[in-house]
Amino acid sequence: MFDIIAVDISGRHRTNDEYIMVCAAVSASVTADNIEKTNQIAIRSFRSISAPDVTDVINMVETTVAELKFGGTIVTEAGDMYNKPQRIIDSIFYQDFKYQESLGERRCIELAHHVSLAARKFLLKELGLQ
Amino acid sequence: MMSKRKSMSYKAIIVKRDDPGTDKDKSDLQIRELKELAEAAGYDVVSELTQTRYPDRKFHLGRGKVEELAQMVFHFSPDKIIFHNPLNTMQVYNISEICRCETIDKFQLILEIFATRATTHRSKLQVELARLEYELPRARAVISILKKDERPGFMGLGGYEDSYAQDIKNRINRIKDELETIQKDNRSLRAMRHSLGFSLVSLAGYTNAGKSTLFNSLVDEDVEAMDMLFTTLLPTTRSLTINGRQVLVTDTVGFIEDLPHWMIDAFRSTLDEIFLADIVLLVVDSSQPVEQIKEKLLVCHETMWDQLQDVSIITVFNKSDLLQEDELQQCINYLGYLSPNPVAVSALKGSGFDKLKTKIYNELPEWERISLSLPMSEEGMSILAWLFDEGIVHDVEYDEKIYIEFEAREKIINKAISIINKFY
């Protein structure tokens, strides 16, 4: 089993002249093809007037991941980091980082995606924006 | 067709453009794979050309490089120029104009291989569908180029650009309908196999990993297995008995890097054999360098993702006889995060099959186990014979009654209980 932190950000598009984003980080133990155990989930919201660039995305990810009690390699989809080469992104992160590879990691990112999407929908509803 | 090609020695030049900063090893691997693909299609690769730069809108390569390519064409007189990178219609037209040679990209080459080997109605439809889906977004541009060639009012139809695209769309729909019917037949066949108590095992993996050789050794069959990319294009299914459980093993088409979605869609009915199986045997060629195996495993994970249902995966490290034991163990450990349930076998030498079969058996859908008693009569004996057919009879004791230790799927167990209840 491998300890990872799967991260996904929802809302990277303009809504009412601003960007309302929700980042979800799922700490889990995964095997090559499955999620064995979910340890903890952290959710943070972020607002911005301008579109996020790579450093903004990395800041959001690191802020959310800092709330977790469990460690592990941060895993995201390549698209979340604007398809930049992994070595470039890895050198900016404080923690170990990689793009998704195995089916287990992909399943975990899918879980993070559902969490961030649902949390953002709830947030927009609360803010009366939906 | 292929042997004819070989005897007539069709020649090709392969070309690849890399973005600046591309990993050299990966690039070398890709060009080697393109060469193998070209050879699998029956071409003799006479020369290679690579360039590192961002793509040019007009020629894909730089203008100077295309002129160099034209000189190579003049020197070697190849039948085709094969690009690794996808080309748009204008680029194909411009390169062909300068080099005076037919230019295709990797996807067209794969289509060519598939078309050459398509023998059944279904595979011919799949190839035709893939070709049309490739052609559709290019249809308008192709007609524009034809019109540019001093042919105003082509075919005498003003809206020909649209009508040609519409014609392709209609043909795509017709083929999809027909393939859907075949797919339905396959689904019902698969459901019937399940209801008959068979579990489905599929071989998946990168092209030329040795799936067909493994299949032949597992089920004692003789399907075509060669050291060549895309030897298998049609799934073949055979039965195999493991510890009394009957499984159906299917050999399938291999995966390849950058296989576009339209191609996966076109070959969906073939790939469904993998996606709807109970167990997938993910075959890897362990004789290759670890980094190459990793790259190929990544392609397999990516292709299987989205479509794969809740199935068990067993990673089969094939060609293990070509490695020392400690090397093999190192490789399996290094790739642990990409290889579920690893097991090392040599399909050619026949080693490691017991371990593989045990793994398959452990991953099969669970059967229930019960103790039954039947009357010692002719009827009781005929039920016993039926139980032998439908499941695994672990133990039989003949006394005043027949005592049986029996294992089978839930449906059969329920049926057996209801039959026995009639006696008491």
Side-chain angles (χ1 to χ4, degrees):
Chain A
M1 281 201 287
F2 311 91
D3 289 333
I4 63 161
I5 299 169
V7 185
D8 185 77
I9 301 172
S10 284
R12 288 162 59 169
H13 52 271
R14 195 188 286 266
T15 312
N16 276 15
D17 292 333
E18 63 175 333
Y19 292 82
I20 302 171
M21 294 164 283
V22 171
C23 179
V26 177
S27 159
S29 298
V30 298
T31 58
D33 59 342
N34 262 314
I35 303 171
E36 287 297 314
K37 191 183 173 198
T38 309
N39 300 315
Q40 193 188 352
I41 298 177
I43 311 168
R44 277 288 297 262
S45 66
F46 300 89
R47 295 175 89 147
S48 153
I49 299 297
S50 58
D53 59 16
V54 176
T55 47
D56 295 330
V57 173
I58 290 172
N59 278 334
M60 284 191 274
V61 172
E62 285 195 323
T63 312
T64 314
V65 168
E67 292 186 8
L68 293 170
K69 280 187 280 179
F70 298 86
T73 306
I74 296 172
V75 184
T76 69
E77 286 177 333
D80 275 346
M81 300 293 166
Y82 299 95
N83 290 311
K84 299 270 183 219
Q86 184 176 308
R87 58 190 161 77
I88 295 178
I89 304 296
D90 190 22
S91 63
I92 308 174
F93 265 106
Y94 284 114
Q95 277 176 262
D96 284 343
F97 169 85
K98 67 181 234 166
Y99 286 138
Q100 60 177 8
E101 291 178 316
S102 68
L103 288 166
E105 288 163 5
R106 285 166 199 267
R107 282 188 209 279
C108 205
I109 286 182
E110 196 180 38
L111 174 63
H113 174 69
H114 284 301
V115 171
S116 67
L117 196 70
R120 184 172 181 273
K121 273 189 180 170
F122 184 60
L123 179 67
L124 290 183
K125 204 174 162 189
E126 288 294 303
L127 293 171
L129 293 171
Q130 204 179 38
Chain B
M1 173 95 174
M2 221 175 63
S3 55
K4 186 178 148 201
R5 268 200 175 155
K6 284 233 157 137
S7 62
M8 289 174 72
S9 103
Y10 278 69
K11 289 186 284 184
I13 293 178
I14 55 174
V15 185
K16 185 171 184 293
R17 182 199 58 80
D18 290 319
D19 281 334
T22 306
D23 182 14
K24 196 180 172 301
D25 290 342
K26 195 177 173 185
S27 174
D28 287 347
L29 178 69
Q30 285 171 336
I31 197 121
R32 200 160 56 235
E33 190 176 273
L34 183 67
K35 192 175 174 190
E36 283 173 24
L37 273 174
E39 282 166 0
Y43 290 104
D44 184 13
V45 177
V46 286
S47 189
E48 298 173 10
L49 186 76
T50 54
Q51 186 179 30
T52 304
R53 61 160 288 158
Y54 289 111
D56 179 71
R57 198 169 58 85
K58 228 172 154 187
F59 298 102
H60 196 79
L61 303 174
R63 168 98 199 190
K65 210 65 177 174
V66 175
E67 274 161 12
E68 190 182 321
L69 183 62
Q71 280 182 355
M72 284 167 85
V73 170
F74 181 74
H75 183 70
F76 292 108
S77 350
D79 298 281
K80 268 180 196 162
I81 300 169
I82 304 168
F83 269 73
H84 177 269
N85 317 74
L87 300 174
N88 66 32
T89 318
M90 273 316 288
Q91 288 166 344
V92 170
Y93 178 78
N94 291 335
I95 296 166
S96 307
E97 276 290 288
I98 291 188
C99 298
R100 292 277 149 208
C101 180
E102 192 181 342
T103 307
I104 60 169
D105 58 17
K106 183 178 151 188
F107 305 132
Q108 278 175 299
L109 179 67
I110 295 174
L111 276 179
E112 216 172 88
I113 298 173
F114 279 32
T116 318
R117 308 215 188 130
T119 46
T120 62
H121 181 54
R122 174 184 167 195
S123 54
K124 279 178 187 164
L125 284 177
Q126 286 176 338
V127 171
E128 179 67 2
L129 178 63
R131 194 186 62 77
L132 289 172
E133 288 193 331
Y134 177 84
E135 204 176 308
L136 182 62
R138 293 160 173 82
R140 289 182 68 89
V142 167
I143 298 301
S144 302
I145 292 168
L146 281 175
K147 277 187 171 177
K148 213 189 278 177
D149 231 14
E150 298 300 319
R151 279 195 260 178
F154 181 66
M155 299 282 283
L157 291 169
Y160 188 70
E161 277 180 24
D162 290 332
S163 77
Y164 182 59
Q166 193 55 48
D167 179 41
I168 291 179
K169 275 183 199 164
N170 291 342
R171 278 154 69 193
I172 286 176
N173 288 338
R174 267 206 306 278
I175 293 174
K176 273 188 177 166
D177 284 347
E178 205 163 330
L179 277 173
E180 181 64 25
T181 319
I182 297 171
Q183 217 165 320
K184 266 186 205 154
D185 292 347
N186 281 349
R187 268 189 220 129
S188 50
L189 179 67
R190 213 172 286 125
M192 191 184 81
R193 282 168 172 173
H194 260 142
S195 73
L196 286 174
F198 290 107
S199 298
L200 308 178
V201 176
S202 273
L203 289 155
Y206 208 79
T207 179
N208 205 23
K211 295 180 290 299
S212 297
T213 314
L214 180 67
F215 178 79
N216 286 342
S217 312
L218 256 181
V219 299
D220 201 14
E221 189 45 56
D222 198 23
V223 300
E224 192 182 4
M226 292 165 75
D227 184 14
M228 185 170 72
L229 307 189
F230 292 117
T231 312
T232 309
L233 287 181
L234 276 175
T236 314
T237 303
R238 294 290 178 270
S239 81
L240 172 71
T241 308
I242 303 174
N243 298 346
R245 296 275 300 262
Q246 287 227 295
V247 296
L248 293 179
V249 187
T250 306
D251 186 22
T252 61
V253 62
F255 301 143
I256 195 157
E257 198 183 2
D258 300 329
L259 198 67
H261 283 291
W262 49 264
M263 206 172 238
I264 293 181
D265 280 346
F267 290 89
R268 168 160 295 281
S269 57
T270 304
L271 292 170
D272 270 352
E273 300 286 347
I274 301 168
F275 303 140
L276 300 174
D278 295 308
I279 299 171
V280 171
L281 300 184
L282 182 56
V283 186
V284 292
D285 177 357
S286 52
S287 67
Q288 293 181 317
V290 182
E291 285 304 319
Q292 272 185 40
I293 305 175
K294 185 186 156 191
E295 290 293 331
K296 291 183 175 181
L297 269 171
L298 285 179
V299 173
C300 295
H301 278 255
E302 201 170 337
T303 313
M304 289 195 291
W305 177 244
D306 280 346
Q307 275 96 4
L308 204 65
Q309 310 290 321
D310 195 15
V311 301
S312 306
I313 301 173
I314 297 170
T315 314
V316 184
F317 284 84
N318 194 15
K319 309 186 190 178
S320 62
D321 56 306
L322 300 174
L323 268 88
Q324 298 290 333
E325 205 163 307
D326 53 337
E327 276 180 321
L328 184 70
Q329 202 50 49
Q330 251 180 355
C331 169
I332 292 175
N333 289 344
Y334 176 71
L335 296 167
Y337 74 107
L338 284 172
S339 45
N341 297 317
V343 57
V345 305
S346 166
L348 211 59
K349 299 266 164 77
S351 62
F353 275 39
D354 291 337
K355 269 189 189 171
L356 176 62
K357 284 180 182 174
T358 311
K359 285 232 179 209
I360 295 175
Y361 183 75
N362 291 339
E363 297 294 328
L364 288 173
E366 267 188 40
W367 277 9
E368 282 183 47
R369 192 170 171 148
I370 54 161
S371 302
L372 300 168
S373 64
L374 293 168
M376 185 62 107
S377 63
E378 207 170 292
E379 237 179 335
M381 294 304 272
S382 80
I383 294 168
L384 180 61
W386 173 73
L387 292 177
F388 266 105
D389 282 344
E390 294 294 337
I392 309 168
V393 178
H394 289 286
D395 195 25
V396 193
E397 252 180 63
Y398 300 95
D399 211 327
E400 282 176 10
K401 287 179 180 176
I402 310 168
Y403 296 99
I404 310 153
E405 191 73 21
F406 180 63
E407 190 183 336
R409 61 193 188 278
E410 202 185 350
K411 196 176 151 191
I412 298 297
I413 297 271
N414 291 341
K415 204 170 171 183
I417 291 170
S418 72
I419 292 171
I420 289 162
N421 282 344
K422 283 180 194 164
F423 289 113
Y424 304 105

